[in-house]
């Protein structure tokens, strides 16, 4: 009986010391120590999005800004636009089309300390499409003969390359959904398509 009590006391002592050590090694989101090493970090990115519009290959140029959080999470906002007008034949009539869109997004990267690691991103927002018979600057306001507004949503998967401590390269593929009131001249299938995306990301990375 005495030996059993001694063994039980030793077991309780070891268990208590183990729990204490585990408690000391555990990280807490609200602790000062965890917060000091896992502060949110801002970043900025230049994005190129290549896809088909009205059956023609064309590209968005975008500027993205966001915040990186612990565990690979990040939030962003971006503005995308055509750098020049897209020349198409719309029902037999030549037209010059420009599109602008503003989105907000949330994403996550996995195993971000690896040189190459995967991730996923979802962006959603609104867009505007202008079409006219004359080729004017995309940044000049005009009374377009055709104007469409709506929403857009794009889920994306990507790979991310840690190039240097202050820059990453992010190629990915996305599917771009567009929602707007149907018109006799433009259909959702004219815009809705897959895309290949490339981004150069700048910031202070771990």
């Amino acid at each position: 009986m005495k030996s059993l009590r001694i063994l039980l006391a030793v077991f309780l002592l070891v268990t208590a010391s183990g729990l204490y050590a585990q408690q000391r090694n555990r990280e807490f989101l609200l602790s000062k120590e965890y917060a000091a090493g896992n502060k949110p970090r801002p970043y900025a990115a230049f994005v190129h999005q290549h896809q088909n519009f009205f059956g023609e290959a064309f590209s968005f140029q975008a500027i993205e800004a966001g915040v990186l959080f612990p565990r690979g999470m990040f939030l962003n906002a971006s503005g995308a636009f055509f750098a020049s007008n897209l020349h198409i034949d719309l029902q037999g009539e030549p037209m010059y089309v420009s599109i602008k869109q503003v989105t907000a997004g949330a994403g996550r990267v996995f195993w971000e300390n690896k040189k190459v690691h995967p991730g996923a991103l979802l962006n959603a927002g609104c867009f505007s499409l202008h079409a006219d018979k004359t080729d004017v600057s995309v940044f000049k306001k005009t009374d377009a003969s055709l104007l469409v507004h709506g929403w857009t949503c794009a889920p994306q998967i990507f790979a991310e390359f840690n190039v240097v401590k202050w820059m990453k390269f992010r190629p990915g593929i996305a599917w771009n959904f567009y929602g707007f009131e149907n018109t006799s001249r433009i259909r959702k299938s004219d815009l809705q398509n897959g895309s290949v995306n490339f981004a150069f990301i700048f910031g202070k990375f771990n």
Side-chain angles (χ1 to χ4, degrees):
M1 182 67 73
K2 187 176 180 179
S3 300
L4 182 61
R5 289 177 181 176
I6 293 173
L7 287 173
L8 183 59
V10 171
F11 174 77
L12 291 174
L13 182 63
V14 171
T15 302
S17 63
L19 288 173
Y20 177 73
Q22 194 176 48
Q23 186 78 5
R24 290 186 62 190
N25 293 331
R26 187 176 298 158
E27 294 179 339
F28 294 92
L29 288 174
L30 299 181
S31 70
K32 293 181 180 180
E33 294 79 6
Y34 183 86
N38 294 273
K39 292 180 180 179
R41 294 157 290 151
Y43 77 90
F46 296 107
V47 185
H48 177 89
Q49 177 181 321
H50 189 76
Q51 71 184 77
N52 281 2
F53 299 92
F54 300 95
E56 299 288 337
F58 213 65
S59 300
F60 272 123
Q61 312 302 320
I63 298 175
E64 177 183 314
V67 180
L68 302 169
F69 296 97
R71 312 303 185 196
M73 303 293 293
F74 64 96
L75 299 175
N76 68 37
S78 65
F81 55 90
F82 285 177
S84 61
N85 292 316
L86 170 61
H87 186 206
I88 61 170
D89 284 327
L90 192 60
Q91 296 180 349
E93 186 178 9
M95 298 288 282
Y96 293 90
V97 176
S98 68
I99 303 177
K100 300 181 182 70
Q101 62 185 37
V102 177
T103 64
R108 186 176 183 184
V109 294
F110 303 90
W111 310 295
E112 60 180 326
N113 291 328
K114 300 288 185 181
K115 292 180 180 178
V116 182
H117 46 270
L121 171 63
L122 177 65
N123 279 95
C126 57
F127 81 96
S128 64
L129 180 150
H130 297 250
D132 210 340
K133 296 179 181 178
T134 56
D135 187 12
V136 298
S137 171
V138 295
F139 300 106
K140 184 178 180 181
K141 289 187 176 181
T142 59
D143 294 328
S145 58
L146 182 60
L147 180 61
V148 176
H149 294 286
W151 59 265
T152 180
C153 178
Q156 178 184 171
I157 57 174
F158 60 83
E160 196 172 77
F161 294 76
N162 294 334
V163 181
V164 291
K165 289 184 178 180
W166 50 268
M167 187 181 78
K168 297 184 179 185
F169 176 58
R170 187 182 73 200
I173 55 175
W175 185 265
N176 304 271
F177 297 94
Y178 288 88
F180 54 90
E181 291 186 9
N182 291 326
T183 70
S184 59
R185 308 187 72 181
I186 298 180
R187 300 165 298 176
K188 293 178 183 178
S189 59
D190 293 327
L191 308 180
Q192 211 155 261
N193 219 321
S195 67
V196 178
N197 308 323
F198 303 94
F200 292 93
I201 308 168
F202 302 92
K204 185 178 180 181
F205 307 117
N206 291 337

